[in-house]
Amino acid sequence: MPELPEITVKARQMNREITGKRIADIEAKQPKNLNMPVSQFVKTAKGKIVNNVSSKGKWIFIKLDPSYYMLINLGMNADLLYFTPNQKLPPKYQFKLTFSDKTGFTVQFQWFGYIHLVPEKELTKHKLTAKLGTSPTDEKFTLEHFQKLLANKKARIKNFLLNQKNIAGIGNVYIQDILFSAELHPNRKISTLSEKEINNLYNSIHSILSQSIQLGGLTYEKDFHGKKGKLTINEFLVGYKTGKPCPKCKTPIEKTKTGSTSSYICPKCQTL
Ligand SMILES: [Zn+2]
């Protein structure tokens, strides 16, 4: 499942590759991914020019001129791939967007996902993205912002960080190493965290996610150009490493159930 690093990598590549291009045609084979009838969707998008591409959490924001956004969520997993003229297209795409220079991109969803067109002035009313918290890659995600976010909260730290309304983009893959490097048990209550622990956690979020972005994301996901990321399970500190020695103290890593999700922890470094 793509998380913030994989989506960030894709959005940055898209921004470089498709900014300034004019939408010439759209083929949508799976109407349920869209937020309006196919014909209306195509009519609205045609002729618009890509102003820039950014991301927030697990969503890609394509800003279109004049005054529209195309919002893409790849769901559990999907291939979102660039193509150039004469290039062979993937066999089973559900969505294809072609620019006036004959380049474009296809989307092939594995499960479900969204491609929505939203007028710029209604963006704050778009239910699926309006309530998203700040992404750790956003410059507004400062230590001060993080401290305020945690102030007076009663939740357990892992549940809190996974809630996309608090922070957009962290899922059950990267959370494992984030909590390990901050030496926090997933079930720690936020109210018991010291200032130093909060600072460490903030730094861990940045370092774990930016390391993955630099490596192009997980190797199980393809980027905009069809290349796989370079981050494999081998690079994880504790995530998915049951029984392997903790990188800090050599204690075997344990897999435990925390709420509705599984956690990988060092029982010695991450105590309750
Ligand atoms: Zn340890």
Side-chain angles (χ1 to χ4, degrees):
M1 182 166 175
E3 294 186 19
L4 178 133
E6 291 76 35
I7 298 298
T8 305
V9 168
K10 275 196 188 77
R12 287 179 184 173
Q13 292 173 325
M14 290 176 84
N15 188 49
R16 278 196 294 272
E17 209 63 70
I18 70 171
T19 294
K21 295 193 177 186
R22 183 186 294 272
I23 299 173
D25 201 13
I26 285 175
E27 192 186 336
K29 299 178 186 172
Q30 201 164 268
K32 62 179 183 175
N33 299 130
L34 312 179
N35 61 335
M36 58 181 80
V38 176
S39 58
Q40 192 191 342
F41 188 97
V42 176
K43 205 175 141 203
T44 308
K46 253 188 185 179
K48 290 196 167 38
I49 296 171
V50 176
N51 180 294
N52 70 72
V53 184
S54 60
S55 60
K56 188 171 190 184
K58 298 170 190 174
W59 284 81
I60 294 170
F61 284 61
I62 306 177
K63 187 174 189 304
L64 299 171
D65 285 336
S67 48
Y68 257 84
Y69 276 90
M70 187 179 288
L71 308 174
I72 303 180
N73 184 300
L74 300 177
M76 289 296 280
N77 195 7
D79 286 338
L80 168 64
L81 296 168
Y82 184 63
F83 66 83
T84 52
N86 310 321
Q87 195 175 322
K88 213 174 151 208
L89 296 177
K92 279 194 294 181
Y93 61 84
Q94 290 103 14
F95 184 88
K96 178 181 159 199
L97 186 152
T98 312
F99 296 108
S100 54
D101 67 354
K102 308 277 191 253
T103 67
F105 63 83
T106 54
V107 184
Q108 184 185 338
F109 294 105
Q110 304 293 335
W111 294 89
F112 190 68
Y114 306 99
I115 304 177
H116 286 182
L117 265 179
V118 181
E120 190 173 3
K121 59 178 192 306
E122 287 172 24
L123 189 61
T124 54
K125 290 183 213 148
H126 182 250
K127 280 196 182 124
L128 298 171
T129 58
K131 293 208 173 98
L132 288 176
T134 307
S135 267
T137 42
D138 194 310
E139 57 186 26
K140 284 182 232 151
F141 192 80
T142 60
L143 176 59
E144 200 190 353
H145 170 87
F146 189 58
Q147 287 165 334
K148 274 189 194 153
L149 202 61
L150 294 183
N152 306 315
K153 294 295 190 313
K154 293 192 179 79
R156 297 181 191 279
I157 190 62
K158 184 181 181 190
N159 289 342
F160 185 85
L161 296 176
L162 289 182
N163 186 334
Q164 302 298 302
K165 288 177 190 164
N166 297 323
I167 297 176
I170 302 177
N172 205 41
V173 174
Y174 292 102
I175 190 79
Q176 314 292 346
D177 285 357
I178 289 172
L179 290 173
F180 171 76
S181 30
E183 298 188 358
L184 293 176
H185 190 283
N187 281 343
R188 273 288 294 278
K189 286 201 169 142
I190 293 172
S191 54
T192 68
L193 298 180
S194 69
E195 201 182 321
K196 188 165 172 254
E197 285 176 319
I198 290 174
N199 289 0
N200 287 344
L201 180 57
Y202 175 80
N203 291 332
S204 297
I205 291 172
H206 273 301
S207 62
I208 296 293
L209 295 178
S210 61
Q211 190 210 0
S212 173
I213 291 170
Q214 273 167 20
L215 289 171
L218 283 168
T219 189
Y220 318 100
E221 309 277 342
K222 284 185 200 142
D223 70 11
F224 194 45
H225 300 289
K227 263 179 70 182
K228 288 175 174 180
K230 292 196 185 79
L231 186 74
T232 66
I233 286 180
N234 288 335
E235 272 84 37
F236 288 149
L237 302 170
V238 296
Y240 308 92
K241 290 202 153 166
T242 315
K244 298 263 161 51
C246 161
K248 290 180 191 167
C249 75
K250 309 288 179 227
T251 304
I253 292 156
E254 287 177 3
K255 183 180 178 183
T256 62
K257 197 91 182 137
T258 44
S260 61
T261 58
S262 294
S263 290
Y264 299 84
I265 60 161
C266 168
K268 204 171 164 193
C269 297
Q270 295 166 273
T271 52
L272 254 185

